[in-house]
Amino acid sequence: MTESWFAREFLSPRRLAFNAIFYGLHFFLFAYGWHSQATNAKLAGLNLLKFSVWVSRGAGLVLAFDGALILMPLLRNVIRVVRPRLTWLFPADENLWFHRQVAYSMAFWSMVHTTGHYINFLTVERTQIRKQIALQIHYTQPGGFTGHFMLLIMLLMYTTAAQKMRHQCFEAFWYTHHLAFFFMIGLYTHATGCFVRDTVDPAYTKEFPFYDQKHCLGYIRIARRRLVGVVLAPLIFTSGAILRNRYIC
């Protein structure tokens, strides 16, 4: 009897262990992001939005994690270091499969995050807890237009990465995947202006990272700095090299 796709992908011992850890970690991060937003006294005003802001914050933390993870399986030096040490946990010999799992996760949590923020922006306009309309947040603030910019890139990349499309026109897949470089820049700058803040107006500054970190409240400020400085920045600069050398094909 032929093994079903579901049994092969989810019920084999290694895949079962991987899925339990991978998706369990994602739900833990979502719950932590939700809790950190809902219990932060400095964000009491923003918490008037209730479930939509808690959902968007939880999903945002998951996306930050996936954004740091998405390129890892495509870095040859990382694979070379990880393979002998974490083969039991990290599917280094199935790096493209792992890359796709992270991409699927990003697609799902992007929908959750975006839906939450659309509701946030409409609620802000309706309640006027900030003197703005939804379109202003969407298209005049960095969080809004970088988010839409990344969604457009994801639409192009995911569409051309579909198996049928990739086989019919590999060049479309190849060139749209070069947009990963710009996606990472969008991810890196997404918090500029900072929707999650304890002030009514955007907390811009003239110096990098172009927002006031006293008012822009992350999950854990030190951890966020380290994530950006140690993980995301190198990935931005290495993504171009990855694509040029066709490691993703």
Side-chain angles (χ1 to χ4, degrees):
M1 183 177 178
T2 305
E3 185 180 33
S4 69
W5 172 85
F6 181 83
R8 184 175 64 253
E9 289 292 319
F10 294 99
L11 300 182
S12 63
R14 286 188 63 187
R15 291 285 173 85
L16 185 62
F18 170 82
N19 287 323
I21 295 170
F22 183 75
Y23 293 108
L25 181 58
H26 279 67
F27 282 108
F28 168 78
L29 291 172
F30 176 76
Y32 175 76
W34 175 307
H35 180 265
S36 68
Q37 170 68 36
T39 58
N40 193 327
K42 292 184 178 180
L43 295 173
L46 195 60
N47 281 327
L48 294 174
L49 302 178
K50 296 187 178 180
F51 290 101
S52 60
V53 75
W54 302 334
V55 167
S56 63
R57 284 280 279 166
L61 181 57
V62 176
L63 288 170
F65 173 72
D66 280 344
L69 201 61
I70 187 74
L71 294 179
M72 289 292 186
L74 307 178
L75 300 173
R76 291 194 300 179
N77 289 336
V78 171
I79 295 298
R80 186 169 57 190
V81 171
V82 167
R83 180 180 282 116
R85 295 172 175 82
L86 294 175
T87 303
W88 61 274
L89 174 63
F90 181 80
D93 293 323
E94 300 176 281
N95 57 318
L96 294 183
W97 175 85
F98 179 63
H99 175 71
R100 288 195 297 270
Q101 305 316 301
V102 179
Y104 298 149
S105 175
M106 288 187 72
F108 172 76
W109 291 108
S110 292
M111 289 187 287
V112 174
H113 182 70
T114 303
T115 302
H117 268 319
Y118 279 1
I119 297 172
N120 288 338
F121 301 160
L122 291 171
T123 307
V124 167
E125 178 178 337
R126 189 179 70 251
T127 61
Q128 286 293 286
I129 62 171
R130 294 175 181 172
K131 304 302 179 182
Q132 298 168 324
I133 63 172
L135 289 177
Q136 285 178 305
I137 307 173
H138 272 300
Y139 301 115
T140 67
Q141 294 186 12
F145 60 72
T146 57
H148 286 94
F149 175 70
M150 288 188 286
L151 286 174
L152 175 61
I153 290 177
M154 288 180 70
L155 176 64
L156 295 173
M157 292 177 68
Y158 280 64
T159 302
T160 56
Q163 185 176 15
K164 187 174 182 180
M165 175 70 77
R166 191 171 69 247
H167 288 172
Q168 289 182 346
C169 186
F170 181 80
E171 289 79 6
F173 161 77
W174 171 244
Y175 286 113
T176 54
H177 262 63
H178 282 71
L179 296 173
F181 178 82
F182 300 101
F183 177 87
M184 285 295 172
I185 293 177
L187 186 63
Y188 188 73
T189 58
H190 188 53
T192 302
C194 200
F195 180 76
V196 180
R197 59 183 186 270
D198 59 358
T199 60
V200 174
D201 297 320
Y204 297 122
T205 64
K206 294 182 179 179
E207 296 80 24
F208 183 83
F210 308 115
Y211 58 83
D212 189 340
Q213 297 186 49
K214 293 180 181 178
H215 298 292
C216 185
L217 304 175
Y219 305 97
I220 300 176
R221 190 171 297 163
I222 295 175
R224 182 183 59 203
R225 287 178 186 168
R226 289 178 179 173
L227 178 66
V228 170
V230 177
V231 179
L232 291 185
L235 290 181
I236 290 173
F237 293 110
T238 56
S239 62
I242 295 167
L243 292 165
R244 283 197 302 273
N245 288 283
R246 295 197 173 205
Y247 296 161
I248 64 171
C249 299

